[in-house]
């Protein structure tokens, strides 16, 4: 059994530092690096790509809405043409640094409100996936496990990584509980570890109302801006490996 462990990194900007990238990078296998629109800047992007290279971590683009002030967590209405080109633009921006460091781009994982919108809006999901395919059809599209967006990508012949979240509560329909609601973000490290092991070994998780939700698990997200990110990433990886699960970059088993 193989699984990928990813984290959203490179989200500092200018003189503002966010996240624990240097420490979290030691435990993950894939890094989703911000592409400058919701967070990140050219200096941060190159620094984070280099950090991934030093740690043997696969690199992916983490594009979002053009919303630096709101950290990409505010919904924006985009036309399909806008969405397709916004994604292509941001992938290209990160790829410049990936190529400069002699690496390959492994995947694309949309950020924040855009990520959530893809789960509900088929036209938007199709446009985003087209933007990814425009750049390189070999890239892996990372999206919410079991979502319609995942099905659309598969229909379009684009590789998909079904993602689950270590520290987020789930609704009975498999979507994430809104951050605005109590209990949406789980802070207890031991509970997070138990949930992750169950997700991988049992193929699902208990929703916020106690119902069982079946999940396909290719990659697990540990948020880098969680105050306990380093502890959680370390504990999750150790727990999975203790269960005989190989923690490797998604590109090694998603073909």
């Amino acid at each position: 059994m193989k699984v990928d462990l990813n984290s959203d990194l490179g989200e500092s900007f200018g003189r503002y530092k966010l996240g624990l990238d240097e420490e979290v990078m030691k435990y993950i296998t894939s890094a989703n690096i911000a592409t400058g629109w919701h967070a990140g800047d050219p200096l941060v992007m190159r620094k984070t790509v280099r950090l991934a290279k030093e740690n043997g971590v696969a690199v992916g683009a983490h594009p979002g809405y053009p919303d630096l002030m709101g950290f990409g967590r505010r919904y924006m209405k985009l036309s399909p043409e806008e969405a397709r080109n916004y994604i292509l633009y941001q992938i290209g921006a990160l790829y410049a640094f990936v190529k400069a460091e002699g690496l390959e781009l492994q995947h694309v994982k949309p950020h924040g409100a855009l990520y959530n919108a893809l789960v509900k809006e088929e036209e938007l999901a199709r446009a985003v996936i087209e933007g990814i395919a425009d750049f390189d059809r070999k890239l892996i599209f990372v999206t919410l496990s079991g979502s319609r967006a995942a099905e659309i990508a598969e229909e379009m012949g684009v590789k998909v990584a079904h993602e689950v979240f270590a520290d987020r509560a789930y609704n009975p329909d498999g979507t994430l509980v809104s951050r605005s609601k109590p209990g949406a973000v789980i802070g207890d490290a031991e509970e997070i570890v138990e949930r992750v092991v169950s997700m991988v070994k049992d193929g699902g998780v208990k929703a916020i109302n106690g119902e069982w939700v079946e999940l396909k698990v290719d990659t697990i997200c540990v948020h880098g801006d969680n105050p306990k990110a380093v502890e959680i990433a370390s504990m999750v990886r150790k727990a999975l490996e203790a269960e005989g699960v190989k923690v490797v970059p998604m590109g090694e088993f998603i073909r």
Side-chain angles (χ1 to χ4, degrees), residues 44-218:
V44 171
M45 289 161 72
R46 184 152 200 175
K47 178 182 178 182
T48 312
V49 170
R50 281 178 173 167
L51 188 63
K53 182 179 181 179
E54 291 167 4
N55 287 271
V57 172
V59 174
H62 195 38
Y65 286 130
D67 181 25
L68 196 59
M69 289 289 286
F71 195 64
R73 287 183 176 161
R74 300 182 291 191
Y75 174 78
M76 298 176 70
K77 180 66 176 177
L78 302 181
S79 70
E81 183 180 15
E82 287 174 324
R84 183 172 184 170
N85 289 299
Y86 285 4
I87 292 298
L88 182 58
Y89 178 91
Q90 292 181 78
I91 295 172
L94 183 70
Y95 181 70
F97 299 107
V98 172
K99 184 175 181 181
E101 293 298 328
L103 300 178
E104 296 290 334
L105 196 63
Q106 173 187 252
H107 66 280
V108 178
K109 173 187 169 180
H111 165 81
L114 178 59
Y115 182 102
N116 292 329
L118 299 183
V119 176
K120 302 173 183 177
E121 301 181 28
E122 291 194 16
E123 187 177 48
L124 179 65
R126 193 171 299 277
V128 165
I129 296 162
E130 286 173 344
I132 295 170
D134 285 342
F135 187 85
D136 188 345
R137 297 193 71 87
K138 295 191 297 291
L139 290 173
I140 300 168
F141 171 52
V142 180
T143 191
L144 189 66
S145 177
S147 65
R148 177 60 182 144
E151 294 177 352
I152 291 171
E154 290 167 351
E155 291 167 3
M156 294 173 64
V158 173
K159 293 184 289 187
V160 179
H162 290 257
E163 182 179 39
V164 298
F165 290 80
D167 58 355
R168 293 293 302 276
Y170 279 78
N171 292 308
D173 65 356
T175 59
L176 300 177
V177 174
S178 170
R179 286 178 177 269
S180 64
K181 296 183 179 179
V185 180
I186 300 163
D188 183 81
E190 292 187 1
E191 181 181 355
I192 289 171
V193 171
E194 289 178 5
R195 285 167 63 86
V196 168
V197 171
S198 178
M199 285 174 174
V200 175
K201 300 286 284 188
D202 304 324
V205 68
K206 279 189 177 181
I208 198 163
N209 68 347
E211 291 183 28
W212 182 255
V213 179
E214 291 188 358
L215 298 169
K216 181 177 180 181
V217 185
D218 293 319

Side-chain angles (χ1 to χ4, degrees), residues 2-41:
K2 296 179 181 178
V3 73
D4 175 69
L5 194 59
N6 79 74
S7 189
D8 305 339
L9 304 176
E11 294 182 321
S12 297
F13 177 79
R15 64 187 296 175
Y16 301 99
K17 180 172 171 52
L18 180 67
L20 303 165
D21 293 8
E22 292 83 358
E23 293 302 315
V24 171
M25 197 76 82
K26 297 176 183 177
Y27 302 104
I28 62 173
T29 47
S30 294
N32 319 308
I33 301 178
T35 51
W37 276 19
H38 79 276
D41 62 36

